[in-house]
Amino acid sequence: MKNGLITGLLCLLSIFSVAQNSDYFLYVGTYTRKTSEGIYGYRFNAQTGELTQAGIAKGVSNPSFLAFSPDHRFLYAVGGGTGDSVRAFSIDQQTHALTLLNSEALGDKGGVHLAVDKTRKWLIVGCYNSGSISILPIEADGSLGKVSQLIRHEGKSIDPERQTKPYVHSITIAPNNRDVFVPDLGTDRVVSYTLNARTGQLLPGKPPFTAVTPGSGPRHFTIHPNGKFAYLIQEMGGLITAFRYKKGRLDTLQTSKTLPEAYTGRTWSADIHISPDGKFLYGSNRAHESLAIYGINQKTGLLTFVGHQPVRGKTPRNFAIDPTGNFVLVANQDTDNVTVFRRDKQTGLLTFTGTEVAVSMPVCLLFTR
């Protein structure tokens, strides 16, 4: 292992209890600006939706967004005081305890999102403040090598305050492990790349980007389970755009609003996910404090609005649909809680289960077995 591991730190990072009588395990990434101590672990009962705390991986600054290796043996977290680094952890397959392997600098600041390619050889990290992408090699033991490629976006868009330069917001690697999509809030583009999984190099895609509504602020992106459609949520415009996806190309099908027509508050949309069966799409609205729910036409990819679900908290930065598709969990950053909703698989509608757990500034939810 790299970087001369410190025994004391490893002890702090390995206090998870054994995950017995649990269907799934949930990791919660946080900001440690208030009382959070790091990455929180919970046992999740997929029959009842109940969460039981199993431990905390302490001693890590702002371990916000998280990503697994494809085999779920390793966990990666962006973080640091200014989001200038990424950390690698090994996962104990019995207890789910996290052991720090190493930390590497990103070469830029504002690390905000990350993804591991299917070969488990490359970690791609987006940096919001710097409008850049860092690629780091992953060693055989799961630890990280130094940045092997750094790409800085260029350009701006029409908002004079928030779009004077690029702001990379998320990384999505397509199922083919070749197409990589990077929403850039500052340029109103979904920037496309082609990944060479042998060398770890990103090359411009064909086309190199897809433009969206000026001033809309692209944020998070997801691909439908059937591989034919993709969807983008846009933070500043309160919009979701549906695309037909084929051979690295995105063709716009439809753009829908995430907020009610009568709403006059702040537009601040955030996360987006599709149910495991591919029938429903959900998008989170901070400030409106809701999840917008849409049905997906399986043949055309078009969306039909179903309703809004209050999240019972403030600032739903991130949410997750559990692997069974029975529950939706919401990370409410500014009320320091994670709320659990039961999902009707026929209608897509949600019902609060009464379960919520207190976590300071939760910003990412990630399930594993």
Side-chain angles (χ1 to χ4, degrees):
M1 281 180 199
K2 295 186 173 184
N3 288 5
L5 298 179
I6 303 171
T7 302
L9 181 57
L10 291 183
C11 290
L12 287 173
L13 289 166
S14 301
I15 62 173
F16 287 90
S17 59
V18 177
Q20 297 175 337
N21 301 319
S22 171
D23 294 299
Y24 294 95
F25 198 86
L26 177 73
Y27 291 102
V28 183
T30 69
Y31 285 131
T32 54
R33 298 169 187 165
K34 297 194 296 188
T35 61
S36 169
E37 297 181 275
I39 301 172
Y40 289 71
Y42 290 86
R43 297 190 293 271
F44 179 74
N45 187 314
Q47 284 72 49
T48 66
E50 293 179 354
L51 289 164
T52 305
Q53 188 170 341
I56 310 168
K58 298 182 179 180
V60 190
S61 175
N62 295 323
S64 54
F65 269 82
L66 313 174
F68 289 124
S69 61
D71 56 11
H72 285 217
R73 292 177 55 216
F74 303 99
L75 180 74
Y76 301 91
V78 291
T82 58
D84 57 359
S85 62
V86 62
R87 289 170 174 80
F89 301 87
S90 64
I91 301 173
D92 186 293
Q93 298 300 291
Q94 297 300 315
T95 68
H96 296 96
L98 299 178
T99 300
L100 179 67
L101 298 176
N102 73 328
S103 175
E104 283 292 344
L106 290 173
D108 269 332
K109 294 182 179 181
V112 70
H113 202 263
L114 68 174
V116 181
D117 91 303
K118 292 186 184 303
T119 69
R120 210 208 75 182
K121 293 181 179 179
W122 310 103
L123 178 68
I124 307 175
V125 184
C127 290
Y128 180 79
N129 294 343
S130 304
S132 62
I133 305 167
S134 296
I135 297 91
L136 298 88
I138 299 175
E139 307 296 344
D141 67 353
S143 63
L144 295 168
K146 296 187 181 301
V147 171
S148 58
Q149 185 181 15
L150 179 62
I151 300 171
R152 291 192 174 98
H153 286 185
E154 297 180 352
K156 59 182 180 179
S157 194
I158 64 172
D159 190 286
E161 295 182 359
R162 301 195 59 196
Q163 294 183 311
T164 59
K165 67 184 187 71
Y167 289 102
V168 167
H169 226 310
S170 62
I171 306 292
T172 299
I173 302 175
N176 64 13
N177 205 49
R178 183 176 62 249
D179 300 326
V180 178
F181 297 103
V182 182
D184 190 317
L185 180 145
T187 64
D188 286 321
R189 293 174 172 179
V190 179
V191 184
S192 304
Y193 293 94
T194 300
L195 172 66
N196 183 324
R198 183 178 59 83
T199 65
Q201 293 290 295
L202 287 177
L203 298 174
K206 296 180 181 180
F209 65 86
T210 302
V212 296
T213 304
S216 63
R219 183 179 171 97
H220 280 200
F221 183 90
T222 189
I223 296 174
H224 194 277
N226 67 16
K228 297 178 181 179
F229 310 113
Y231 302 87
L232 170 74
I233 194 164
Q234 292 142 86
E235 175 177 326
M236 297 164 59
L239 303 172
I240 290 178
T241 298
F243 302 95
R244 183 174 299 281
Y245 163 53
K246 186 175 182 180
K247 296 183 178 179
R249 181 181 179 88
L250 300 174
D251 293 312
T252 301
L253 296 172
Q254 173 195 34
T255 295
S256 305
K257 293 184 178 181
T258 66
L259 293 162
E261 290 288 346
Y263 176 71
T264 58
R266 183 180 183 184
T267 300
W268 202 23
S269 300
D271 200 15
I272 187 169
H273 293 287
I274 296 172
S275 59
D277 60 13
K279 294 180 179 180
F280 294 93
L281 180 145
Y282 300 81
S284 66
N285 291 305
R286 296 170 295 180
H288 188 250
E289 319 304 4
S290 69
L291 296 185
I293 306 167
Y294 304 84
I296 303 174
N297 185 304
Q298 302 299 287
K299 293 183 178 180
T300 66
L302 297 178
L303 301 176
T304 300
F305 178 71
V306 173
H308 286 104
Q309 172 63 50
V311 295
R312 302 183 72 90
K314 292 184 178 180
T315 317
R317 174 78 178 270
N318 178 244
F319 66 96
I321 303 172
D322 87 298
T324 69
N326 290 325
F327 296 94
V328 175
L329 283 69
V330 182
N332 296 306
Q333 179 181 323
D334 290 335
T335 42
D336 303 322
N337 65 330
V338 175
T339 48
V340 182
F341 299 84
R342 185 175 290 276
R343 194 178 78 88
D344 187 313
K345 292 183 177 181
Q346 300 304 311
T347 66
L349 294 173
L350 306 177
T351 304
F352 181 54
T353 63
T355 295
E356 63 178 289
V357 294
V359 187
S360 179
M361 302 194 79
V363 294
C364 183
L365 305 176
L366 211 59
F367 279 103
T368 189
R369 269 292 190 184

